[in-house]
Amino acid sequence: MATDDRPDRGGGLYARRIGTPTTNDEVNGYWLFGFGVLLGLAGVALFFLTESATSTRGIAYALAALAPPFIMLGAVIRFPLRRTGTYLGYLGTAVSVLGVVWFVNIFPEGWFTASGDSTVIALYGVGLLLIGLAGTVVPLLSDPVYEDYERMRGETDAATAERDETSAELEATREELASTEGELASTREELAAAEERAEGLDAEAAAARAETESLRESKARFELFEDASGKPRWRLRHRNGNVVATSGQGYSSRGKAQQGLHSVRRNALGAGILRIETPVEEAAAVAADDGPEPEDAAAPDVAVPSEDESIESAATFELFEDASEEWRWRLRHDNGNVVGDSGEGYASKSNAKRALARVREHVAAADYLRVDPTAFEMFRDAAGEWRWRLIHENGNVLADSGEGYSSRSKARQGLDSVRSNAAEAALDDLDAEDAAAGASDASATFELYEDRGGDYRWRLRHRNGNVIADSGEGYASKSGAEDAIERVRDYAPDASVLEVGDAAFEIYEDASEEWRWRLRHRNGNVVADSGEGYASRSNAVEAVTRVKANAPGAGEETVA
């Protein structure tokens, strides 16, 4: 805006008769416009009341000549211009007034009736030109979001100060919490002493410790599978083949079954023992009412090894140099099958080894990303900036941030802006003469345009002028770009934000309708992929399971 000062909203003639102004310049511009009109009328009236070639007639000319600069200045400063435009308008008015004053000083003796004075006329014209430039050219050349940025930076500074204050309060709270934990630890010690004096508790505690140690040394593994009714379940199978625990019920989705599995892993070691005295006959009746045990004959779809379990690898990492003299790696099973590869080449053998080490480090703990059917993925690019992208379950990127952010929180703010504005955003075809009317009323607008390479692209522009998302890639036809915009409108508002650790497996369907997997680091880089396609999603999941089981302990060798 021309100025950020807010006018007094309490009253005033302008507010009572015309409306509530948004800036002081809006009020000032109105009065300047009216003042210019009055000057023009006064000059015309004085012209008819005076004789030609007199000083009074010169004043009439001067009043009439002052009308255009003030009328133009009043209109210009009412526009939402940058400060540069406002200052240029004032400068032009001052130059025009100077030309009028010069005219009054030389009229009528120094004024040529036929041609006038070229210097005075030029000075007056330069003033009008400056005012015209302020109202037309300057808005086209200036940055429309500069002041929004300044205001946002001020708000950010205020938020930073508030956050620092909150951090201080949080630190004090932590100190209080530490003191409370000390008191709690003392209370626990007293409670332990009291429990030790209880009759018979020592024997039960010793038995519990023995059972805990046996659990820690267990060589069992959790298995995720679908039972005969198609519901996901889990079971804990010992290495001797016996099932030592099951979920007891089916889950509505594989993700919920995995959550139940992790809950058991977190809570089992610290769980106490509750002895329930139930007659044998009653227990048998309750078991009969609960129905049969889960069907154990169903083949497991995914086997997830315990974190503490060390499984001997049945595969080997092979380092080799490809035809383009780049170094790659592949994970080959003892049966000869390649179960994973690097997906890209490296300039040196040492770089390939470092990539291989990252796979060993992250593969065992990597989760399965659930993209159903889309999700936002946040990552850090090579320049250290935070970005986001909207990915489909088939692996395609539907949209990305278009720019990097200095922090994860700012990237998340940009992501949330897209989620809240995409569905209602208007469409503005920049190449069409009849662009969407009413697009300026929306919070954001999809702009469809043709780039220099002849591809069609889109970008989502907020009404403050910022581009908050773009297509990331070009489309061969306008209809393809329009379809992409509709997919973003449909998916973005409800897409979840993936929260992953250091790395995660993505399972997707490629363009040839084959299922593949890739291991993606949280910075967005793909550190491993399947290297081949699978006929079904379950086969790709089983391939991931084999990689998770064999990669951490696999040896390595260099092959020709």
Side-chain angles (χ1 to χ4, degrees):
M1 299 297 179
T3 174
D4 287 336
D5 298 334
R6 294 293 179 181
D8 181 12
R9 302 298 179 89
L13 180 60
Y14 186 94
R16 293 195 302 271
R17 295 295 184 181
I18 300 176
T20 303
T22 57
T23 64
N24 284 331
D25 280 340
E26 182 178 341
V27 180
N28 297 335
Y30 173 81
W31 294 123
L32 283 173
F33 185 92
F35 179 66
V37 172
L38 291 177
L39 285 176
L41 294 176
V44 172
L46 188 59
F47 174 87
F48 288 111
L49 296 176
T50 59
E51 297 180 357
S52 61
T54 62
S55 298
T56 309
R57 176 62 64 87
I59 294 175
Y61 288 142
L63 291 175
L66 288 174
F70 281 99
I71 290 175
M72 292 174 64
L73 178 63
V76 166
I77 69 172
R78 281 172 62 85
F79 294 159
L81 301 179
R82 307 284 77 79
R83 292 186 179 89
T84 303
T86 303
Y87 294 156
L88 189 60
Y90 284 126
L91 176 61
T93 304
V95 172
S96 296
V97 171
L98 181 60
V100 172
V101 172
W102 193 346
F103 166 81
V104 172
N105 287 333
I106 66 175
F107 188 87
E109 290 81 4
W111 184 261
F112 300 102
T113 305
S115 60
D117 189 297
S118 59
T119 305
V120 173
I121 295 174
L123 185 62
Y124 180 82
V126 168
L128 294 181
L129 177 62
L130 292 176
I131 301 173
L133 292 176
T136 57
V137 178
V138 171
L140 300 177
L141 300 180
S142 60
D143 183 6
V145 298
Y146 173 78
E147 292 190 356
D148 290 338
Y149 169 77
E150 291 294 332
R151 185 180 69 256
M152 291 172 63
R153 187 170 64 178
E155 294 174 354
T156 302
D157 293 340
T160 302
E162 183 178 354
R163 186 182 63 217
D164 293 341
E165 182 180 354
T166 305
S167 298
E169 295 177 356
L170 180 60
E171 188 63 30
T173 304
R174 286 175 177 170
E175 293 178 357
E176 295 178 1
L177 181 59
S179 175
T180 304
E181 288 177 348
E183 296 176 359
L184 181 59
S186 176
T187 303
R188 285 175 176 170
E189 292 176 358
E190 296 176 0
L191 181 60
E195 289 176 348
E196 288 178 358
R197 291 193 295 269
E199 183 177 357
L201 192 59
D202 287 340
E204 294 183 3
R209 283 195 296 271
E211 292 180 6
T212 301
E213 290 300 323
S214 65
L215 285 175
R216 291 183 185 275
E217 297 174 358
S218 173
K219 296 299 182 181
R221 70 168 62 189
F222 283 97
E223 296 177 350
L224 282 172
F225 66 98
E226 290 186 0
D227 60 18
S229 61
K231 289 187 176 181
R233 294 175 179 261
W234 62 261
R235 59 190 168 211
L236 180 62
R237 187 187 295 276
H238 195 270
R239 63 182 177 182
N240 62 11
N242 294 334
V243 176
V244 296
T246 68
S247 59
Q249 63 177 0
Y251 293 87
S252 59
S253 67
R254 184 181 299 276
K256 293 190 178 297
Q258 197 162 8
Q259 289 176 3
L261 183 155
H262 289 313
S263 176
V264 172
R265 294 174 67 181
R266 287 194 303 269
N267 298 298
L269 290 180
I273 299 176
L274 177 62
R275 178 174 296 173
I276 302 176
E277 301 295 342
T278 305
V280 175
E281 294 80 7
E282 183 179 347
V286 171
D289 291 339
D290 287 342
E293 290 291 328
E295 186 173 329
D296 195 50
D301 192 13
V302 180
V304 182
S306 171
E307 293 178 358
D308 298 329
E309 182 178 354
S310 177
I311 300 177
E312 182 179 355
S313 176
T316 304
F317 281 105
E318 295 179 348
L319 284 168
F320 64 98
E321 194 173 10
D322 62 17
S324 59
E325 297 184 353
E326 289 185 321
W327 284 90
R328 298 175 177 266
W329 60 260
R330 59 192 170 215
L331 181 62
R332 187 183 296 278
H333 196 272
D334 290 347
N335 61 14
N337 293 335
V338 175
V339 295
D341 63 29
S342 58
E344 62 175 330
Y346 298 89
S348 64
K349 184 176 182 179
S350 58
N351 288 345
K353 278 192 171 185
R354 281 194 290 269
L356 188 154
R358 287 197 298 270
V359 173
R360 280 199 180 113
E361 177 184 357
H362 298 305
V363 68
D367 290 328
Y368 297 88
L369 294 185
R370 182 65 174 172
V371 181
D372 185 21
T374 60
F376 283 100
E377 186 180 46
M378 298 182 64
F379 64 97
R380 209 168 188 173
D381 62 16
E385 292 185 316
W386 285 94
R387 296 175 178 269
W388 60 259
R389 56 190 165 214
L390 179 62
I391 59 175
H392 194 270
E393 62 184 352
N394 61 10
N396 292 336
V397 176
L398 303 182
D400 62 33
S401 57
E403 62 173 332
Y405 296 86
S406 58
S407 65
R408 184 186 183 93
S409 60
K410 290 185 180 297
R412 181 59 186 263
Q413 290 175 4
L415 184 157
D416 289 337
S417 178
V418 173
R419 295 172 74 179
S420 60
N421 290 293
E424 302 299 329
L427 176 60
D428 186 2
D429 188 348
L430 299 183
D431 296 327
E433 296 181 358
D434 53 345
S440 58
D441 296 333
S443 299
T445 304
F446 281 103
E447 296 179 350
L448 180 61
Y449 64 99
E450 187 176 4
D451 63 16
R452 294 180 179 178
D455 289 336
Y456 286 90
R457 296 175 178 268
W458 61 261
R459 58 189 171 224
L460 181 59
R461 188 184 295 276
H462 196 270
R463 62 182 173 188
N464 63 10
N466 292 335
V467 175
I468 56 178
D470 64 29
S471 59
E473 64 178 26
Y475 298 88
S477 64
K478 180 183 289 189
S479 60
E482 291 174 344
D483 291 342
I485 291 174
E486 291 304 318
R487 288 195 295 272
V488 173
R489 280 177 172 158
D490 291 340
Y491 292 131
D494 299 324
S496 59
V497 181
L498 299 178
E499 299 292 344
V500 300
D502 291 333
F505 282 99
E506 296 177 353
I507 299 175
Y508 64 98
E509 192 174 10
D510 63 16
S512 60
E513 298 184 351
E514 289 186 320
W515 289 91
R516 296 176 177 266
W517 62 262
R518 58 190 168 209
L519 179 62
R520 189 186 296 276
H521 193 268
R522 64 180 176 185
N523 61 9
N525 294 334
V526 175
V527 297
D529 63 29
S530 58
E532 64 174 334
Y534 297 90
S536 65
R537 181 186 181 93
S538 60
N539 289 344
V541 172
E542 290 175 359
V544 171
T545 304
R546 289 195 296 272
V547 172
K548 289 170 69 72
N550 292 288
E556 66 180 68
E557 62 181 29
T558 302
V559 297

